[in-house]
């Protein structure tokens, strides 16, 4: 599994654990909902800045998004 899919799975798992819809989460992360969807599906390749923004909105460190389960 490539890193984009690992990041996507982690984002989705952490977002759902917080009880947030993609729309609510995208508002908190200041990103478009379709972009969040693409990240979660592993079709987007987010920049380091975007990973930092996503991690902040989830309340985790950016490195938590890269960890394999």
């Amino acid at each position: 599994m490539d890193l984009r899919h690992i990041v996507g799975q982690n984002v989705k798992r952490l977002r759902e654990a917080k009880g947030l819809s993609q729309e609510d989460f995208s508002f908190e992360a200041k990103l478009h909902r379709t972009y969040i969807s693409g990240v979660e599906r592993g079709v987007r390749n987010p920049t380091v800045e975007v990973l930092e923004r996503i991690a902040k909105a989830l309340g985790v460190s950016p490195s938590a998004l890269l960890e394999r389960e």
Side-chain angles (χ1 to χ4, degrees), residues 4-23:
R4 286 180 302 170
H5 285 96
I6 292 167
V7 169
Q9 286 179 344
N10 287 331
V11 170
K12 184 175 182 175
R13 178 179 49 81
L14 293 164
R15 173 184 62 77
E16 288 177 343
K18 289 187 79 163
L20 294 171
S21 66
Q22 283 183 346
E23 188 169 350

Side-chain angles (χ1 to χ4, degrees), residues 5-65:
H5 285 96
I6 292 167
V7 169
Q9 286 179 344
N10 287 331
V11 170
K12 184 175 182 175
R13 178 179 49 81
L14 293 164
R15 173 184 62 77
E16 288 177 343
K18 289 187 79 163
L20 294 171
S21 66
Q22 283 183 346
E23 188 169 350
D24 292 338
F25 177 66
S26 67
F27 180 76
E28 289 200 25
K30 297 178 177 74
L31 296 164
H32 198 275
R33 186 201 57 77
T34 58
Y35 188 85
I36 296 296
S37 174
V39 169
E40 289 185 357
R41 290 181 290 121
V43 298
R44 291 280 188 172
N45 191 18
T47 65
V48 173
E49 291 174 356
V50 169
L51 287 177
E52 183 178 40
R53 193 184 299 181
I54 289 171
K56 185 176 180 181
L58 289 169
V60 299
S61 69
S63 63
L65 301 177

